[in-house]
Amino acid sequence: MNKLIFFKINVRAIIALFIFINFVGATQWIYQADLLNSEVINNQNIKELSGNVFITKNQTTLTTKKAILYSDNDQLELFGDIVMISDMDTLRCDTLFYFPKTGFDHFIASGNVTLLNNNQQITSDSLYYWSEIDSIYAYGDVLINDNSTKLYANSVNYWKTNGFYGYSFTANNDVVIINPETEIKGQEIIYVDSIQHMSILNQASAVHKNQKLLGDTMLIQFEDSSINTVTIKDRPIA
C-alpha cells in the first residue's frame, strides 16, 4: 500500500450547497404556497406556508410541503419531501432546520438525507452542518460514495483544516472504506490532516491487492499522498 487509501470529501460541494446561509442580509425571501398564515406568537412574527411551498433566494431554491419562517431572525423549518438546489448541488430530506445565530449558524437535515454533487453522494439518517467552521456531522447508516471510493459508518464527523488535504475526519462504528484495490476496516478511523496521520482503532484491518494486515490498532503515517510508515499494535498479523 503506497497511496492514500481513503476518500476525499468534495469541500466545494458542501460549502456551495449550504450557500443559502447568506440569506441573512438585505435581500428578502421570495416564497409562494397554496396557503399562507401569518401570526405573532410570543412576540415573534411567524409565517406558516403549506402546500406546494417554493422558497428562493440568490442561487438557491427550496421546495417542500410545509415551511415555517420566523421573520424576526430568519430561522427556517421545512417539513416533507424537501428538495434544496444550489448551483449543481442537491439536498433531499424529510425535515430541515436552519438556525441563523445560535453560537454558530447551523443546519440540521434529517430523515432519508441525500446530498448529491457531480460524482459524489452522501446518504445518512441525519446531517448537521456548521457553516462558520466548515464542519459536518452525518449520523445513522452513513455512506459516502464518490464512484471510486465508498465509506460506510454509523457516524462521520468532518471538519476543514489547513493540512495537505484540507480536512480531517472521524468515522465510528463498523467503519469500512473500499476502493477498487483496497479495503480498510475498523470500529473507529481518525484522520488528522495537520500531521497526516490515520488511526484505525479496534479490529483494524487493511487489504491491498495480495497484502493483508490485521491488528487491534493500526497507525498510518502519510507523506503527502503516499504512505510513509504503518505501525500495528496489539496482536499484529501480516
Side-chain angles (χ1 to χ4, degrees), residues 170-188:
T170 299
N172 289 283
N173 297 333
D174 298 322
V175 184
V176 181
I177 301 175
I178 302 174
N179 68 25
E181 295 185 343
T182 305
E183 179 178 283
I184 295 177
K185 294 182 179 180
Q187 289 302 304
E188 182 176 11

Side-chain angles (χ1 to χ4, degrees), residues 100-237:
K101 289 296 180 183
T102 53
F104 291 114
D105 291 9
H106 65 285
F107 305 86
I108 301 175
S110 62
N112 301 304
V113 178
T114 302
L115 173 59
L116 297 169
N117 173 268
N118 295 328
N119 295 322
Q120 187 177 76
Q121 175 176 295
I122 301 174
T123 60
S124 64
D125 293 337
S126 300
L127 180 71
Y128 294 67
Y129 175 73
W130 293 266
S131 60
E132 294 182 37
I133 56 176
D134 289 333
S135 178
I136 294 169
Y137 177 70
Y139 179 81
D141 293 326
V142 180
L143 168 60
I144 301 177
N145 183 0
D146 67 359
N147 287 338
S148 63
T149 304
K150 295 180 180 180
L151 182 147
Y152 300 88
N154 186 59
S155 65
V156 177
N157 189 12
Y158 151 87
W159 60 98
K160 187 175 180 180
T161 62
N162 294 321
F164 180 78
Y165 277 92
Y167 68 92
S168 299
F169 73 88
T170 299
N172 289 283
N173 297 333
D174 298 322
V175 184
V176 181
I177 301 175
I178 302 174
N179 68 25
E181 295 185 343
T182 305
E183 179 178 283
I184 295 177
K185 294 182 179 180
Q187 289 302 304
E188 182 176 11
I189 296 179
I190 302 169
Y191 175 69
V192 181
D193 198 40
S194 60
I195 57 175
Q196 292 192 260
H197 187 270
M198 176 182 284
S199 302
I200 307 169
L201 309 177
N202 195 357
Q203 302 174 20
S205 69
V207 180
H208 180 73
K209 296 182 179 179
N210 295 323
Q211 294 178 300
K212 185 174 184 179
L213 302 175
L214 300 172
D216 284 347
T217 300
M218 191 177 303
L219 308 176
I220 303 176
Q221 183 64 54
F222 296 97
E223 184 175 350
D224 297 336
S225 62
S226 298
I227 294 176
N228 189 359
T229 60
V230 177
T231 303
I232 302 175
K233 296 182 177 181
D234 303 322
R235 293 180 293 179
I237 301 175

Side-chain angles (χ1 to χ4, degrees), residues 29 55 62 67-70 74-78 96-98:
W29 295 94
I55 302 173
L62 301 100
I68 298 175
L69 170 64
Y70 296 82
D74 277 340
Q75 182 175 325
L76 185 66
E77 301 175 359
L78 305 180
L96 180 67
F97 299 90
Y98 167 52

Side-chain angles (χ1 to χ4, degrees), residues 73-88:
N73 63 8
D74 277 340
Q75 182 175 325
L76 185 66
E77 301 175 359
L78 305 180
F79 304 94
D81 294 338
I82 298 159
V83 179
M84 181 172 68
I85 300 174
S86 179
D87 294 328
M88 300 297 292

Side-chain angles (χ1 to χ4, degrees), residues 12-52:
R12 190 208 65 80
I14 303 300
I15 295 173
L17 177 64
F18 291 101
I19 197 170
F20 75 93
I21 190 171
N22 292 323
F23 280 164
V24 179
T27 305
Q28 298 296 312
W29 295 94
I30 299 173
Y31 51 84
Q32 65 184 45
D34 293 342
L35 297 173
L36 170 63
N37 181 43
S38 297
E39 57 185 337
V40 178
I41 301 177
N42 296 327
N43 296 320
Q44 294 188 52
N45 294 299
I46 298 174
K47 293 182 175 67
E48 183 175 327
L49 298 85
S50 58
N52 298 308

